[in-house]
Amino acid sequence: MTGLRSPNTGLRALRPAAFGADPGGERLARIRRSPHFKDGVFQNPGGPARTRPAGSTLDVAKVFLDKDTRPLRAPRGTVPVHPTTYADLARPPVTGLRLTWVGHSSVLVEIDGHRVLFDPVWGERCSPFPFAGPKRLHPVPLPLAALGPVDVVVISHDHYDHLDLPTIKALAGTDTLFAVPLGVGAHLEHWGVSPDRLRELDWHESTRIGGLTLTATPARHFCGRGLRNTQHTLWASWAVAGEEHRIYHSGDTGYFDGFKDIGAGHGPFDATMIQVGAYSEFWTEIHMTPEEGVRAHLDLQGGVPHGVLLPIHWGTFNLAPHPWAEPGEWMLAAAGAVGQAAAFPVPGQSFEPAGVLPTRPWWRDVSLPLNREWPVPEITAVAPRGDLDFVGEV
């Protein structure tokens, strides 16, 4: 009889497009051959990491719903954005390296004549549904088309605040390439990206795109977009090396000793983009605090301040119970305690790590004051201040 479908087929038809697709065929076979895949799941470096909140559901709910701290979790005014234009980005960086923080973990990096777009999220919500889920706290600073041509889009993992369906569909209509962790290509193919434009890597694998070498490096996190978390797609941080410059994007990760190995193998870096928001005592193993973010940066740089740290994964979405402005304030204190140069652009603002850095704490204009002592890294091997080659904006 025609017109009949199996129950599984019917359930798949009801599956939201934003859930993506599960790996299959040769992709799944490659996943099963990965040295990082064991007992049916990808394994974290440094041993298992708790991917579900510690404590009871009631404990978590009490913290999120607390009437005294809840007002601190959102800005009290309009978050400023920098009106970057296509003309601004059409001018090549003077030093050969320029970063434009679009918000959250989305960063356009212009490096040695190439353009790399990390974790682009232009959608209004990081959710599979347009009517529910965390909503933007500030508008996208510029239209996706205003970026101009992009050589490669790099995805760190498949969570909604890093892999955004409407953004990927828009980019699928261009000729850009995509560098993604192993298994994530199944989502992109499902959304219209042709397989020949995918560079799908396991940890420690590299690909050449133009004059750049992109390497998927370990991270301590997890994956999942649907109702079940099967751990069948990998998560990664990324090291990118050009002819003159090197950069690093952490994706989402807990702190682990592997940063030292990444730095030894691929650093030191002219700039790092480090996740320092959406942390909580309930999930300490899969997200870093700003203090841990500075420690990770120093590990990547051989133990001493070097390059510029751009804090990411904060300011755009409300994803954790900490105050909205806390990552900025804490990073300011933690980086300052060890003499590490850190950049604090408003969303959309471009800067060159070798030039004048945006350092004004702009979030104070639109947030309630936070008065506390911030934990900072221990100073063990700090280079003299004069060795830090940067100029700050006051």
Side-chain angles (χ1 to χ4, degrees):
M1 256 180 103
T2 61
L4 291 180
R5 296 179 297 178
S6 70
N8 285 341
T9 303
L11 288 174
R12 283 196 297 269
L14 295 174
R15 177 179 172 132
F19 279 10
D22 296 326
E26 175 52 32
R27 178 176 281 115
L28 183 57
R30 187 180 165 203
I31 287 170
R32 289 170 173 162
R33 293 194 299 268
S34 168
H36 310 110
F37 191 78
K38 182 181 178 183
D39 298 328
V41 296
F42 279 111
Q43 305 291 317
N44 264 303
R50 187 185 183 100
T51 60
R52 299 296 182 190
S56 68
T57 301
L58 182 60
D59 291 335
V60 177
K62 283 180 178 179
V63 172
F64 269 90
L65 299 175
D66 182 81
K67 63 182 179 62
D68 294 324
T69 59
R70 196 172 180 182
L72 294 172
R73 291 170 51 206
R76 64 176 181 176
T78 302
V79 176
V81 296
H82 187 80
T84 302
T85 66
Y86 179 85
D88 294 329
L89 296 175
R91 291 190 292 269
V94 175
T95 62
L97 178 63
R98 180 167 62 201
L99 280 64
T100 303
W101 182 50
V102 183
H104 201 56
S105 297
S106 304
V107 187
L108 174 68
V109 178
E110 297 161 274
I111 174 172
D112 299 338
H114 298 82
R115 309 177 97 234
V116 183
L117 181 59
F118 289 94
D119 285 357
V121 175
W122 260 251
E124 188 64 17
R125 296 181 186 271
C126 48
S127 165
F129 308 108
F131 53 84
K135 190 176 182 181
R136 283 185 166 275
L137 300 174
H138 65 78
V140 180
L142 70 167
L144 190 60
L147 293 179
V150 173
D151 295 294
V152 56
V153 172
V154 178
I155 303 297
S156 63
H157 62 296
D158 70 359
H159 286 159
Y160 291 100
D161 57 324
H162 296 260
L163 181 61
D164 180 54
L165 169 60
T167 305
I168 297 299
K169 282 199 166 184
L171 290 166
T174 70
D175 59 359
T176 187
L177 301 177
F178 293 83
V180 303
L182 186 56
V184 174
H187 298 311
L188 273 64
E189 281 191 47
H190 186 63
W191 298 334
V193 178
S194 60
D196 63 318
R197 290 166 56 195
L198 292 172
R199 306 293 182 267
E200 201 163 347
L201 306 182
D202 200 347
W203 290 339
H204 309 300
E205 291 182 342
S206 299
T207 186
R208 288 281 294 179
I209 295 177
L212 301 179
T213 299
L214 296 90
T215 305
T217 47
R220 191 165 166 80
H221 200 56
F222 67 112
C223 66
R225 293 181 72 86
L227 299 177
R228 295 182 302 117
N229 180 7
T230 59
Q231 297 293 79
H232 269 65
T233 66
L234 189 59
W235 48 96
S237 57
W238 290 86
V240 180
E243 293 180 1
E244 301 291 336
H245 296 93
R246 293 171 179 263
I247 57 172
Y248 172 84
H249 188 285
S250 71
D252 279 0
T253 180
Y255 179 81
F256 69 115
D257 287 341
F259 292 115
K260 297 174 184 177
D261 295 331
I262 294 170
H266 304 282
F269 299 98
D270 298 281
T272 67
M273 295 152 274
I274 303 289
Q275 171 265 305
V276 298
Y279 48 83
S280 170
E281 62 182 348
F282 295 113
W283 48 82
T284 59
E285 298 178 49
I286 55 172
H287 279 290
M288 292 190 292
T289 66
E291 184 269 336
E292 290 172 319
V294 172
R295 278 198 279 140
H297 173 92
L298 295 177
D299 287 351
L300 291 162
Q301 306 291 36
V304 298
H306 178 77
V308 173
L309 191 165
L310 172 64
I312 60 172
H313 204 265
W314 76 285
T316 302
F317 299 105
N318 185 348
L319 302 175
H322 63 67
W324 171 77
E326 184 173 289
E329 288 291 347
W330 194 350
M331 174 54 68
L332 196 64
V338 297
Q340 172 58 52
F344 298 95
V346 300
Q349 184 177 6
S350 301
F351 69 93
E352 300 191 29
V356 176
L357 299 183
T359 56
R360 179 180 175 273
W362 53 268
W363 55 87
R364 293 177 182 171
D365 297 337
V366 292
S367 67
L368 295 170
L370 301 175
N371 299 312
R372 59 166 288 191
E373 291 292 325
W374 303 105
V376 298
E378 292 184 7
I379 303 173
T380 55
V382 179
R385 185 73 176 180
D387 289 354
L388 300 179
D389 186 18
F390 78 99
V391 179
E393 171 193 286
V394 297

